[in-house]
Amino acid sequence: MAVCIAVIAKENYPLYIRSVPVQNELKFHYTVHTSLDVVEEKISAVGKAMADQRELYLGLLYPTEDYKVYPSHMIIVYYTPVCMFFILIENILLYRHTRYGYVTNSKVKFVIVADSSNTSLRDNEIRSMFRKLHNSFTDVMCNPFYNPGDTIQSKAFDSMVSAMMVQAS
Amino acid sequence: MSVPDYMQCAEDHQTVLVVVQPVGIVPEDQFFRIYKRIASVAQVSIRDSQRNLYIRYRHHYLPENNEWGDFQTHRKVVGLISVTTCGSAKEWPQTLDRFHSQKEVFGATLYDSRLLVFGLQGEIAEQQRTDVAFYSSYEDCPNVEKRVEDFVESIFIVLESKRLDRATDKSGDKIPLLCVPFEKKDFVGLDTDSRHYKKRCQGRMRKHVGDLCLQAGMLQDALVHYHMAVELLRSVNDFLWLGAALEGLCSASVIFHYPGGTAGKASGRKPSLAQGQGQAADAGKRHRPGALTANGISADTSSEIGRAKNCLGPEDIIEKYKEAISYYGKYKNAGVIELEACVKAVRVLAIQKRAMEASEFLQNAVYINLGQLSEEEKIQRYSILSELYHLIGFHRKSAFFKRVAAMQCVAPTIPEPGWRACYKLLLETLPGYSLSLDPKDFSKGSHCGWAAVQMRLLHELVYASRRMGNPGLSVRHLSFLLQTMLDFLSDQEKKEVTQSLENYTSKCPGGMEVLTLPDGLKLPPVAFTKLPIIRSVKLLDLPVSLRPHKQKGLLENNMSTKSPFIYSPIIMHTRGEERNKKIEFQWVQGEVCEVQLMVYNPMPFELRVEHMGLLTSGVEFEALPAALSLPAESGLYPVTLVGVPRTAGNITVNGYHTSVFGVTSDCLLEGLPSVLTSGCVVEVIPSLPRLQLSTSLPRMTRNLCPGELSSSVSVQLFNGETQHLTITLENIGSEDLETLEVASKTCNTKEKLFGEFLSWDLDEAVSQLPLKPGQSVTLTVNIKVRLDFSGGENLLQDLNDDGISVTGLPISSPLRQVLKPRAETKPLGSESSKTDYNHVKTLEAVMTFKYSGGAGKVEGYYRDLTLGVHVDIEPSVFFTRVSTLPATRTRQCHLLLDVFNSTEHELTVSANNNQDLVLHASECQRMAIQVDKFDFDTLPQPDQEALRYTNPKLLEEERLHAQASMINSTLAHPSVRRQGEASVEGVLNQLVLEHLQLAPLQWDVVVNGKPCDCDIIADCRVGDAVPLEVKLTNRSKNAVGPFALTVVPFQDYQNGVQNYALQDAVTFIGSNTFYIDTVKPTENSVCMGALLFLYTGDFYLNIKFQDDSAGQGKELPPSWFGLPSVHIKALEAPIEAGA
């Protein structure tokens, strides 16, 4: 089940991010953000070899099944007089989540975070999800009113992403 | 063993561990100074062998870890150096006891120990001990390093002997089983004689020997031993030790492949101070296989090829590490070993630049459970993970873990949260989130980085710095957050952030100074360039009346020639020049100058900006700050910032200063590329005086003429009226007024204006100069309005009885016929045309007061003050028709004017001869004025401008200006007590003018010594000769003549009969015909004759002439010969003579 789908611009800032448990969105921001390290590493490794024919699908970014689980929960709640900062409510080790990456030729990155605790997705399922995502993203880019680099605000894209999250579950 | 050493790296396997500890009371700083000096001896080359011994120093080491010394010998504490203070001999035994008890702690494993005693005074009554060294003070201990080296050598000897001991007794006695602490109880009661057990013992011992070889600098032997150990241990499934053997193999290979070390620069090996430079240089080579000549201890040392075979390749190293770690993983108690192995492997991979695999190792390391860790250990662990991620180039991961470590510092479970440490760690995460605390990095182009994550980090920084007790930092971070993340903040967040910022600034106002953190990090100031957002900056010119102007004569000096070409089509255009472009206009020293900013408020609430002022350079400038309040999400809003330049020169507007939410910021324009500006450099000229103008007439608010006026007055006058305008000029500036010039210009008007509209006398005002500040001067200006009084030809028809009125010509004139049809062609006066005369006309003029003084005058500047004069002219009278009648005298004529009163008042018209004519409203009457004829030539020639009039008729009119003033009629409005003058100037047409003109040939007839004219009767006596003189004066431009004049006397019977047969009554003495020669222009000719009257009576002389200028071909016009008729009265001769 895909729990988070993110589109990241060439300059590594989010164009679109959507996660299923909405209340803890920041956690996924961190998850996706740290995944970029691997994405970049993979791109640079592949990029040297064959820039043109490389596969867009990057595969598993952070596999987790093979490793032991380290259950450390840190919950820190700060309260300031003015506004409440939930500085960190997260499980730093996102052991239940597997992250997959995909990079378009224009270096726009897609990251799907899947919950691998109950069902594991097959590789080709993930691939088809990315392909769909890419097609939909292309449609967004074709919109003459969309400025490349802006955050994506498209109903079509939204509905496609939510369909993907539901369907994959 | 529970505490991992995260700093370990593969080459630590070849080091020997020495613990340096203080004994008794040793000041911490002194101890660390000594420790540093000791630690500088990290590598010692052994004198008689070519091997190197590497030493790892620790000032703190758990004895628990020491128990793992058999497992991996580099974990074993082999040396102890104690540092102590001992003041006197008395304390000595006590000190020695302490030293011994400390030795006990590591006693089992120590090879040797030393005691460094500092501060001892006097002598110790004891024999010299080799393991004790005395120094008088911490400062005075020159040979500490030497002593440490000796110590290391002694360790080496023990090590070497142990190595040889273990290496040689292969097949000797029973090999003891080496084991790790947690294994001990497992082997209780095991059959020690079994083959399996023996093999295990052998394998473990091999591995141990390998460790010792590695430490002793015999890399090659170590490899061989490790290989053997791996094989032995694999066969008995002794996984823990198999892992250790594999790791040993890896370490040895790593040492072989990467002599530079894998730990990075921080813990890179420093060459020992004792070693010379040359040795340091080839220290690297020492590890090369060629240089590694074994000391002949192991006879079967392989050749170089063998070495290469034994050594693992880079790929294999990782494979073996993986294997080793997986074996370690089988033992819960070996978590630390596993973790350390992971860290070592990661370091190797980092060197190999294999980030992906390294991340896998790290991922594994994350999951290694070391049981219950203390908070401090957790922090250490996360920091090291972060460092390692950084090492492999995963900056985001690194930042993530660093941030987790920071959070750990202030975890609620910690009784005293380390906010300072938290803050420090958070700062270190900044690069990972591609965030820098310099707002300049954000000003250009689009936002970079992951805003949501960055924002969170900034919030955390703010909070941490606040809890740290440094509100200044919180303010700075919060300002930064607001400035850079404004686009990403929701409305609610904007409100919250600004509220908390206001809270903080109430305690500690934010400024523009650079904050320096204790660790040297500088926090650049944050300028709120987005609160409010500035769209454009425009320097405003001074108000019209205050603008300085350059004297024309000095203009050339001002022209700077940048190029040798007078004109070039190539414009040198460079980017950014626009901002520095100099603006055309000037500012004046001491005058308030304005800069207009277009601002808008991006916030969803009202934004209060205080102390908004200009930042300038180049000239001393006094900025007058403004406070403004911008409504929520306002549109563009103009704000004018003012200031006063105090000195002259070029001023550059660099930016502006604001104070928002208690944070003051200096926003420089150069950092704001989106701001539109048309130049920011203006010349400030020295101060000039300043005049204020007030008038006696009411001011008018709206401006009249195109162009800007300082002020204007408005007045309503009847046509022909004159009004006095008093202008008071007050010097309200600070400089003396030295020069004053006044000029006026009538705005373009369709109306034809006669006479001077505005006239003044400046002399009196000028005589009062220079005008000190505060003084004033008055000037009186006469406003005379004299528009065309003519009604045109289509005026009232009621008086137009016949054509005669216009003529006034001699009967013989043929023009009479010409004129008449002209009158008839005009459309009869209609009602509509009548209303035209009631139309109010306006006349506008601008008076310009040019003044200067003070320093600005020296520079050639002056100021203009303009006063617009607006006059609404109501029509008064019209001359609807004009004509002439000849007067009785040739030099006079009657001017007949039909005067129409178009006002609603009764008015009195009086002309030269004081004939008052009372006209009721809308009444038209004819008045006759006797006027002298004019001689046009004698009138002053209008200046050369008149030559422009190609039309001779216009030229004529021009000439008439002066003349017409003579026949102006005076108007008076008795009811409204206003009076004025009406001019006939525009009324006189060509025909009338001809009649008003004196003939070019002027005839003067003198009878009996008396000049005669029509109505003058000359008296003479009968019988006396009457001298007759005819004088011809030529005023035309050409020579005239010759003429023949014939004087014919006649008698008029007053009944139409004229008797010319007077031969009996009058006789001529001499000829009655005179011949006049050619008379040149301006000359005259006189003919003399005499008459004798024989009878009394009234006689007339008709002087006829004849043009004899034959051949000239051109007739002179008859009007030129307007000769006077002479009337002579012959009287009875005095009787008394005859009586």
Side-chain angles (χ1 to χ4, degrees), chain B residues 491-654:
Chain B
D491 283 0
Q492 185 58 33
E493 283 170 319
K494 280 177 187 170
K495 257 179 216 162
E496 286 173 359
V497 168
T498 49
Q499 266 177 23
S500 48
L501 182 60
E502 275 174 332
N503 264 351
Y504 291 162
T505 50
S506 62
K507 289 169 220 149
C508 173
M512 282 306 282
E513 70 279 3
V514 176
L515 293 179
T516 310
L517 295 179
D519 56 346
L521 185 79
K522 285 189 166 56
L523 290 183
V526 179
F528 280 141
T529 56
K530 285 183 181 167
L531 294 172
I533 295 173
I534 306 289
R535 273 280 169 269
S536 72
V537 173
K538 191 177 158 202
L539 277 63
L540 297 183
D541 202 352
L542 292 171
V544 189
S545 61
L546 297 177
R547 266 175 218 172
H549 302 274
K550 188 95 178 164
Q551 298 278 6
K552 282 224 174 77
L554 297 161
L555 207 66
E556 285 113 276
N557 306 341
N558 204 20
M559 269 167 56
S560 60
T561 46
K562 278 181 190 166
S563 148
F565 302 106
I566 294 164
Y567 169 75
S568 164
I570 303 158
I571 301 159
M572 301 304 276
H573 199 78
T574 47
R575 267 173 166 261
E577 200 181 307
E578 268 158 52
R579 210 169 274 264
N580 299 320
K581 203 173 65 185
K582 203 162 164 183
I583 299 177
E584 290 299 312
F585 54 79
Q586 287 104 11
W587 281 352
V588 181
Q589 176 189 341
E591 269 339 312
V592 173
C593 304
E594 295 178 323
V595 175
Q596 195 182 53
L597 306 177
M598 295 305 286
V599 303
Y600 85 85
N601 172 15
M603 300 303 256
F605 46 84
E606 190 181 310
L607 184 67
R608 283 199 53 79
V609 185
E610 279 155 14
H611 299 293
M612 193 161 183
L614 288 172
L615 296 175
T616 58
S617 67
V619 162
E620 204 178 301
F621 189 80
E622 184 190 332
L624 306 171
L628 48 137
S629 175
L630 296 168
E633 274 159 15
S634 66
L636 274 185
Y637 207 82
V639 172
T640 310
L641 299 180
V642 295
V644 181
R646 289 292 174 210
T647 54
N650 278 336
I651 189 168
T652 311
V653 175
N654 295 327

Side-chain angles (χ1 to χ4, degrees), chain B residues 263-278:
Chain B
K265 278 175 204 160
S267 53
R269 267 135 228 281
K270 283 175 231 136
S272 146
L273 286 178
Q275 285 181 315
Q277 280 289 54

Side-chain angles (χ1 to χ4, degrees), chain B residues 22 72 117 142 185 200 229 297 363 429 507 619 739 743 783 785 925 990 1012 1021 1080 1124 1133:
Chain B
Q72 281 172 326
V117 185
K185 57 181 180 288
R200 182 188 289 232
I297 294 161
Q363 196 79 17
T429 65
K507 289 169 220 149
V619 162
T739 60
I783 306 172
V785 283
Q925 280 197 27
Q990 182 63 33
C1012 274
R1021 286 165 192 265
K1080 291 200 176 122

Side-chain angles (χ1 to χ4, degrees), chain A residues 12-14 26 29-30 32-33 37 40-41 62 67-68 74 78 80 82-83 85-88 92-93, chain B residues 355 364 366-367 382 394-397 403-404 407-408 410 433 449-450 453 456 459-460 463 496 503:
Chain A
N12 290 332
Y13 62 89
L26 194 70
H29 273 281
Y30 276 110
V32 177
H33 183 251
D37 277 328
E40 281 196 335
E41 183 61 35
Y62 278 112
Y67 296 104
K68 284 184 290 183
M74 294 174 58
Y78 293 145
T80 65
V82 190
C83 52
F85 291 170
F86 289 88
I87 288 203
L88 186 72
I92 51 151
L93 303 163
Chain B
N364 187 32
V366 169
Y367 297 125
Y382 293 132
F394 280 22
H395 300 291
R396 294 177 187 88
K397 264 284 192 198
R403 188 174 148 271
V404 171
M407 291 300 110
Q408 199 66 58
V410 292
Y433 294 109
W450 199 292
V453 179
R456 168 50 61 101
H459 272 303
E460 285 163 0
Y463 191 74
E496 286 173 359
N503 264 351

